[in-house]
Amino acid sequence: LRVTMKISMNWIKDFTDLPDLDAKEIGEIFTLKTAEVEGVEEVGAYLSKIVVAEIQSLKKHPEADKLNLVTINYGSNETKEIVCGAPNVKEGLKVPYAPIGTTLPGNFTLEPKKIRGILSEGMLCSAKELELGEGSAGLLELKDSAPVGQKLNEYLNRTADIVLDVDNKSLTHRPDLWGM
C-alpha cells in the first residue's frame, strides 16, 4: 500500500517566504532537506494561456453534420476560425479559447490540425477539458460580462500551484510532517 501526501506550495507560502525556483528545483531541495519527493506537478499553469473569447459567428462544417465552423474574437485585432462540435455553441457566447501551442491537462499540446479538411486554429474548451468541473455537456459558458481577451486564470481568480507528492515511507520517522 502506497500512501502519499500532496503538499501545495501555495499553502506553504502562507507561512513562509520561498525562493523563486522552478518546480523541479523545489522538489530536489525538499528531498534533500525534509522528505523524499516522489513527484512534482505544476497545477493550473495552463489557465494563463487560455483567454476569454466571444463567438461572433458560426456555420455548419461542409464535410460533417455535427461540426460547426466558429469565428471568434479573442481580444486581438484578428479573428480565428475554430472547428467545434459542442452542442451549446451559439453566437454571442463567451467561452474559454486555447490557442495553438497551449498544453492542456493530460499533457495534450494543441497543434495546427485539419478537421475534415478545414484547419482549426485552436480549441474552445469545456469545464471538463480544463479540469474545472465534471460537466461535459458542451463548452464552458462564461458570464456575458467576461472581458474578451482576459486570461482565464485572471478571470477565474486562480493561481498556478506546484504540488509535491511525498511518499509516506519518508514520513515514518517524521511525525512533525504528518499534520500536512
Side-chain angles (χ1 to χ4, degrees), residues 77-138:
N77 292 330
E78 60 183 270
T79 60
K80 295 283 185 184
E81 187 172 70
I82 313 296
V83 177
C84 180
N88 64 331
V89 65
K90 63 184 176 193
E91 287 183 20
L93 187 64
K94 292 189 177 174
V95 296
Y97 164 63
I100 299 295
T102 303
T103 301
L104 296 171
N107 207 25
F108 172 69
T109 302
L110 296 176
E111 298 176 357
K113 184 177 181 182
K114 283 190 174 184
I115 301 173
R116 299 272 180 117
I118 296 182
L119 183 66
S120 185
E121 300 178 272
M123 180 175 161
L124 303 179
C125 304
S126 71
K128 186 174 184 178
E129 290 163 332
L130 298 176
E131 294 186 345
L132 296 174
E134 294 300 315
S136 61

Side-chain angles (χ1 to χ4, degrees), residues 47 150-160:
L47 292 175
Q150 184 177 31
K151 301 284 186 188
L152 195 61
N153 65 322
E154 294 170 4
Y155 174 72
L156 297 173
N157 197 26
R158 291 191 177 214
T159 57

Side-chain angles (χ1 to χ4, degrees), residues 158-171:
R158 291 191 177 214
T159 57
D161 195 4
I162 296 171
V163 177
L164 303 179
D165 183 4
V166 179
D167 195 310
N168 192 36
K169 71 181 180 222
S170 302
L171 305 178

Side-chain angles (χ1 to χ4, degrees), residues 3-81:
V3 179
T4 64
M5 177 172 59
K6 304 279 187 176
I7 302 174
S8 161
M9 295 310 294
N10 285 347
W11 180 80
I12 290 175
K13 287 177 186 176
D14 286 345
F15 301 99
T16 187
D17 292 326
L18 292 175
D20 188 26
L21 301 171
D22 68 27
K24 183 178 177 188
E25 290 172 315
I26 289 173
E28 289 172 356
I29 291 170
F30 199 87
T31 295
L32 291 173
K33 297 186 178 215
T34 308
E36 184 180 352
V37 174
E38 294 288 323
V40 178
E41 180 183 0
E42 291 186 67
V43 178
Y46 60 91
L47 292 175
S48 66
K49 307 287 187 211
I50 297 167
V51 296
V52 174
E54 183 173 12
I55 297 173
Q56 293 185 320
S57 65
L58 62 111
K59 60 185 176 185
K60 289 290 182 193
H61 191 296
E63 301 294 324
D65 293 338
K66 294 183 179 182
L67 296 177
N68 291 296
L69 303 179
V70 180
T71 303
I72 62 162
N73 170 9
Y74 64 102
S76 73
N77 292 330
E78 60 183 270
T79 60
K80 295 283 185 184
E81 187 172 70

